[in-house]
Amino acid sequence: MAIFSVYVVNKAGGLIYQLDHYAPRSDTEKTFSFPLDLVLRPRDERVVVAFGQRDGIRGIKFVVLADPRQAGIDALLRKIYEIYSDFALKNPFYSLEMPIRCELFDQNLKLALEVAEKAGPFGPGS
């Protein structure tokens, strides 16, 4: 399973935090010249990205883009909300509606994403 990205959006709709957690790495680089030698073929596949959202305090929205087979997205959103409350809001240098630049928030969010990918849903007290 994979969690691709986490976004935090303020009540005005501005992006105040973005984390690209899963970025596939390309081993080779391809350059193109005109005319392009690409052929696009439609494929009948299901959606590969799920969308989860949790309304936070005062209109802050937490958004997670993940694989649809990823379990426990709602619990992960609650955990992200808890991390935001603990490490961003309690930071004396952070003010609401401003971009989140807190190292402890980054570290704990990355740890929560790794735990969610490995273990699935968060249990009580995690």
Side-chain angles (χ1 to χ4, degrees):
M1 308 312 155
I3 298 170
F4 302 112
S5 300
V6 175
Y7 303 98
V8 180
V9 180
N10 65 14
K11 65 181 174 185
L15 183 66
I16 60 173
Y17 185 81
Q18 172 186 357
L19 174 69
D20 293 324
H21 179 65
Y22 177 79
R25 293 187 176 94
S26 176
D27 293 335
T28 60
E29 184 176 318
K30 171 114 174 122
T31 58
F32 295 100
S33 61
F34 188 79
L36 297 178
D37 56 345
L38 297 176
V39 177
L40 301 177
R41 295 186 186 99
R43 296 177 70 176
D44 185 32
E45 292 183 3
R46 65 186 197 142
V47 176
V48 295
V49 176
F51 177 77
Q53 164 179 316
R54 177 174 171 85
D55 289 330
I57 55 173
R58 299 185 184 153
I60 301 276
K61 295 192 185 297
F62 300 90
V63 180
V64 173
L65 297 177
D67 189 309
R69 297 170 298 200
Q70 178 69 39
I73 294 297
D74 289 334
L76 175 63
L77 286 167
R78 284 191 297 275
K79 184 68 174 178
I80 293 171
Y81 178 78
E82 179 183 320
I83 291 169
Y84 174 75
S85 298
D86 287 344
F87 297 103
L89 292 180
K90 292 178 183 176
N91 182 352
F93 301 107
Y94 175 72
S95 58
L96 288 175
E97 305 295 319
M98 297 305 293
I100 301 169
R101 290 186 173 84
C102 178
E103 189 173 331
L104 286 174
F105 178 79
D106 290 335
Q107 292 171 356
N108 284 283
L109 179 61
K110 289 175 185 176
L111 181 65
L113 294 178
E114 290 174 10
V115 168
E117 284 183 336
K118 290 179 185 174
F122 285 93
S126 61

